[in-house]
């Protein structure tokens, strides 16, 4: 199908394709006679394209259009999709729209440049949306190095906001995992480690701290341990905080930080931690790893502090701590 070089007409293109007896679907709050909020279309092509991008039933039509368009027409299509921030965000926030945007990324540098500018205009909103964030994540894979660096700078600038958002933390974790830029990867890990204490106490941020620890980057792990020094016992009383402390003990250098703090706390507090629904796993893991890593000084230090409470620990249902101590008698 020939596409005119001087115009982009969705209606002409759609009419040239096999007819589909489908009713277009719109997101909640968008009527079939109105474009998205804040967007004033210059022609019906905008509404036609909006329908094609979000409809459940128009997947075959979208694929057909992409297969027929040449590079110039694709650039014009991308120009329409990215010309208004509200229009772009409305499509990106739709599950189908997000997926179809991702299909368009990486096709050509011209198209990527238009998407790059659109993403930056609404960067934080996009990165913290359940579906729109996947557009930015995909962009970080296919964009050229120059565009990626600008995106990384935006991520670093907004990192705390992203980490403390329920969808932003997921997007951030994916970008950290997939990052192939050693400089920016180190910058992100350092930032998370430096702010590890506030992130560990945040409902979303703690997942980012857990995630970077699971990357087993020794420098990052040690930096997290330094940031959490003096707070490991407090965190161990909390569900997600205890996960972070347990992860720290998987590396000997950071394990020492945790166990020394356990040894420094008074016996009553250590006993309460050992009987706590979350803390007991931390104490049991401390005994297990100090023994396995042949840190006998730390292992027997814990045993000495815990042994007077063995009768109480035996009463705790399924106590691994009691089992470990009993085996030593």
């Amino acid at each position: 199908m020939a596409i005119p070089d001087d115009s982009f007409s969705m209606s002409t293109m759609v009419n040239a394709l096999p007819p589909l007896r489908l009713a277009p679907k719109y997101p909640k709050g968008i009527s079939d006679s109105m474009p998205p909020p804040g967007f004033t279309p210059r022609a019906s092509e905008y509404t036609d394209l909006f329908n094609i991008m979000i409809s459940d039933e128009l997947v075959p039509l979208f694929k057909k259009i992409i297969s027929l368009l040449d590079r110039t027409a694709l650039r014009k299509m991308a120009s329409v999709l990215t010309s208004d921030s509200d229009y772009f965000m409305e499509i990106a926030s739709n599950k189908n729209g997000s997926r179809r945007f991702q299909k368009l990324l990486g096709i050509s540098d011209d198209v990527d440049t238009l998407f790059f500018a659109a993403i930056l205009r609404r960067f934080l909103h996009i990165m913290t949306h359940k579906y729109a964030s996947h557009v930015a994540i995909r962009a970080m894979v296919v964009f050229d190095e120059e565009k990626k660096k600008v995106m990384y700078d935006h991520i670093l600038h907004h990192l705390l906001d992203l980490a403390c958002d329920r969808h932003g933390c997921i997007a951030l974790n994916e970008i950290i995992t997939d990052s192939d830029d050693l400089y920016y990867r180190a910058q992100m890990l350092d930032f998370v480690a430096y702010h590890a204490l506030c992130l560990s106490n945040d409902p979303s941020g703690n997942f980012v701290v857990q995630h970077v620890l699971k990357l087993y980057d020794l420098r990052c792990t040690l930096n997290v341990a330094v940031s959490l020094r003096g707070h490991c016992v407090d965190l161990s009383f909390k569900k997600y905080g205890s996960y972070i402390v347990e992860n720290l003990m998987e590396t000997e250098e950071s394990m020492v930080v945790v166990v020394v703090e356990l040894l420094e706390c008074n016996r009553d507090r250590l006993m309460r931690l050992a009987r706590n629904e979350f803390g007991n796993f931390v104490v049991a893991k401390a005994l297990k790893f100090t023994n396995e890593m042949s840190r006998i000084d730390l292992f027997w230090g814990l045993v000495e502090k815990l042994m007077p409470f063995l009768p109480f620990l035996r009463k705790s249902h399924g106590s691994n701590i009691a089992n470990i101590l009993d085996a030593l008698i």
Side-chain angles (χ1 to χ4, degrees):
M1 180 182 68
I3 302 295
D5 291 334
D6 59 346
S7 65
F8 175 80
S9 172
M10 285 301 305
S11 58
T12 300
M13 185 186 340
V14 171
N15 290 337
L17 294 172
L20 297 174
R21 298 173 181 266
L22 301 169
K25 293 186 177 181
Y26 298 81
K28 187 176 181 181
I30 305 297
S31 72
D32 60 355
S33 60
M34 294 179 63
F39 182 74
T40 304
R42 295 186 297 273
S44 62
E45 282 78 9
Y46 288 86
T47 304
D48 292 338
L49 185 54
F50 182 75
N51 298 338
I52 291 168
M53 293 300 294
I54 69 166
S55 172
D56 284 322
E57 300 167 320
L58 294 181
V59 176
L61 182 56
F62 173 78
K63 291 181 177 179
K64 186 71 173 179
I65 289 171
I66 298 305
S67 69
L68 292 172
L69 295 183
D70 61 18
R71 178 172 174 170
T72 300
L74 279 170
R75 179 181 58 79
K76 291 178 180 178
M77 178 180 174
S79 180
V80 173
L81 291 169
T82 60
S83 60
D84 181 271
S85 292
D86 290 336
Y87 182 72
F88 178 83
M89 188 67 193
E90 195 68 40
I91 296 174
S93 300
N94 177 273
K95 185 176 182 179
N96 293 324
S98 173
R99 288 175 174 173
R100 288 165 203 174
F101 272 165
Q102 292 172 63
K103 293 288 186 182
L104 293 172
L105 289 168
I107 291 179
S108 73
D109 187 60
D110 290 342
V111 171
D112 284 351
T113 298
L114 292 167
F115 273 90
F116 171 68
I119 291 170
L120 292 187
R121 285 196 298 267
R122 298 290 292 271
F123 184 79
L124 190 57
H125 291 151
I126 289 171
M127 286 289 292
T128 53
H129 190 277
K130 181 178 181 180
Y131 299 125
S133 59
H134 291 287
V135 179
I137 293 168
R138 175 62 182 164
M140 290 299 294
V141 174
V142 302
F143 278 174
D144 60 37
E145 293 306 310
E146 184 178 350
K147 294 183 182 69
K148 283 184 182 180
K149 287 180 179 179
V150 177
M151 293 278 284
Y152 277 127
D153 286 336
H154 276 67
I155 290 167
L156 288 170
H157 180 74
H158 293 288
L159 196 143
L160 276 181
D161 293 321
L162 296 175
C164 294
D165 180 86
R166 62 175 181 155
H167 298 305
C169 70
I170 297 171
L172 178 61
N173 284 347
E174 288 197 39
I175 288 172
I176 290 174
T177 299
D178 295 338
S179 176
D180 56 3
D181 187 300
L182 296 180
Y183 171 77
Y184 280 106
R185 178 185 171 89
Q187 289 287 303
M188 290 186 289
L189 294 180
D190 285 351
F191 197 102
V192 172
Y194 182 80
H195 294 280
L197 181 57
C198 72
L199 292 176
S200 296
N201 284 291
D202 184 84
S204 298
N206 77 86
F207 290 111
V208 179
V209 180
Q210 289 184 58
H211 181 73
V212 300
L213 290 174
K214 285 296 184 182
L215 297 176
Y216 300 106
D217 180 290
L218 181 58
R219 180 170 179 270
C220 178
T221 299
L222 292 178
N223 287 339
V224 171
V226 169
S227 292
L228 297 183
R229 181 184 294 158
H231 302 277
C232 293
V233 173
D234 290 335
L235 287 170
S236 297
F237 280 102
K238 304 171 184 177
K239 181 177 181 180
Y240 295 114
S242 68
Y243 294 162
I244 291 170
V245 177
E246 287 183 53
N247 287 334
L248 282 175
M249 288 191 287
E250 294 182 10
T251 300
E252 182 174 354
E253 292 83 354
S254 53
M255 179 270 291
V256 172
V257 174
V258 175
V259 177
V260 167
E261 187 175 331
L262 293 177
L263 291 172
E264 288 176 349
C265 74
N266 63 62
R267 290 191 181 216
D268 288 344
R269 192 164 191 232
L270 183 59
M271 192 271 286
R272 284 190 287 109
L273 183 65
R275 300 188 70 185
N276 179 265
E277 61 178 322
F278 308 120
N280 79 90
F281 293 104
V282 172
V283 177
K285 207 158 195 176
L287 288 166
K288 177 176 182 288
F289 282 135
T290 52
N291 188 35
E292 289 180 354
M293 296 178 186
S294 299
R295 291 305 304 260
I296 304 303
D297 55 331
L298 299 177
F299 174 76
W300 285 107
L302 282 172
V303 170
E304 182 182 351
K305 291 196 75 168
L306 291 167
M307 195 62 81
F309 301 106
L310 181 55
F312 298 100
L313 294 171
R314 285 174 178 151
K315 295 177 182 178
S316 299
H317 180 69
S319 175
N320 290 325
I321 302 170
N323 294 336
I324 294 171
L325 296 178
D326 276 327
L328 300 172
I329 298 174

